[in-house]
Amino acid sequence: MNPFIGRGRSASDAVHETPSRFRPFGTIRCSNPSYFHSQLARDLGCLLDVDDDVVAWCCRPYGMDDVLIEIGWKGSPPDFLVTYSSGRDVYVHAVEDEGDPEVTEAAACRQIWHRFATAQDIRAGCRLQNAKDLLRYANYQTPLGDRIRLLAALEQEGSATVAECLSTFREIAPMAGLSSLILNRFVAVDLDAELIAPHTVVRVFGS
């Protein structure tokens, strides 16, 4: 499993790299200080935060360094180490094109899971934009009262639209409260069907 300390490079390791910050700034399941070498990598991080199969992820992992040195890899290290609910840890490179299969093959020879995530896959459909919209509210936490009111209503009715859910919030800005509950897996919406809208259906997570 991907622990919440020590599996990725610290932000101080990048002191000579003059990194840029890429929006959105907030994360939910990143277990070390976030660092993204490109907007594409940041976009992939957004998708990881809304992937129900992801338990945690960290930036700038170091576990593949020996593999990359062995094959003379001149590119950047993996962007992320992702832990899935199956227990599998996967190193991921965000790349504009297809990536180099030699890297994945060399990792496999050492019984390390690795994959390249291409720009085409990362930016396909509306999931990425929905993830970015939600992550604007990553630093918000829905108060207990608002959370209980919405979950009670959804458990009674089975589902409700976004517009209907917004009316239940009294202690926090409604969209911030609902987004926080989605990001923290209390409730769920379909992020692939269309951009989140007033008529988007909200359900209790896992129902």
Side-chain angles (χ1 to χ4, degrees):
M1 297 291 287
N2 180 1
F4 288 85
I5 56 172
R7 290 291 289 278
R9 295 171 172 83
S10 69
S12 63
D13 294 334
V15 67
H16 298 301
E17 299 179 23
T18 59
S20 300
R21 297 192 72 194
F22 299 97
R23 294 178 182 273
F25 298 141
T27 63
I28 298 296
R29 293 177 179 84
C30 183
S31 60
N32 68 336
S34 60
Y35 176 93
F36 309 101
H37 82 274
S38 67
Q39 184 62 56
L40 183 64
R42 179 65 192 103
D43 289 349
L44 177 56
C46 292
L47 294 181
L48 295 176
D49 266 338
V50 297
D51 185 337
D52 293 342
D53 293 325
V54 170
V55 175
W57 52 280
C58 75
C59 300
R60 298 173 54 80
Y62 55 77
M64 275 189 63
D65 287 1
D66 289 345
V67 174
L68 300 179
I69 292 171
E70 183 179 284
I71 64 173
W73 172 251
K74 302 301 183 183
S76 62
D79 292 288
F80 308 118
L81 173 62
V82 185
T83 294
Y84 290 92
S85 55
S86 64
R88 177 175 294 175
D89 290 337
V90 182
Y91 292 87
V92 186
H93 272 97
V95 293
E96 290 292 340
D97 299 312
E98 293 301 318
D100 186 346
E102 183 183 7
V103 176
T104 303
E105 181 179 347
C109 289
R110 293 198 177 204
Q111 298 184 319
I112 296 173
W113 291 94
H114 171 270
R115 71 180 179 90
F116 288 100
T118 66
Q120 181 177 356
D121 292 337
I122 292 169
R123 293 170 175 162
C126 56
R127 173 170 281 261
L128 176 59
Q129 186 58 55
N130 280 330
K132 287 183 171 184
D133 288 342
L134 292 171
L135 285 165
R136 291 181 57 202
Y137 304 101
N139 294 324
Y140 286 82
Q141 185 172 357
T142 304
L144 176 63
D146 282 347
R147 186 172 79 230
I148 293 299
R149 272 187 290 274
L150 180 58
L151 292 177
L154 291 176
E155 288 174 0
Q156 180 176 353
E157 300 297 330
S159 66
T161 65
V162 165
E164 291 167 338
C165 290
L166 295 182
S167 65
T168 67
F169 291 92
R170 302 174 188 172
E171 304 173 55
I172 190 174
M175 200 64 238
L178 180 59
S179 296
S180 175
L181 293 178
I182 294 170
L183 290 170
N184 289 285
R185 298 176 180 168
F186 288 100
V187 301
V189 297
D190 187 343
L191 299 178
D192 296 305
E194 60 180 347
L195 294 178
I196 296 171
H199 60 266
T200 298
V201 175
V202 182
R203 294 184 172 85
V204 174
F205 182 83
S207 65

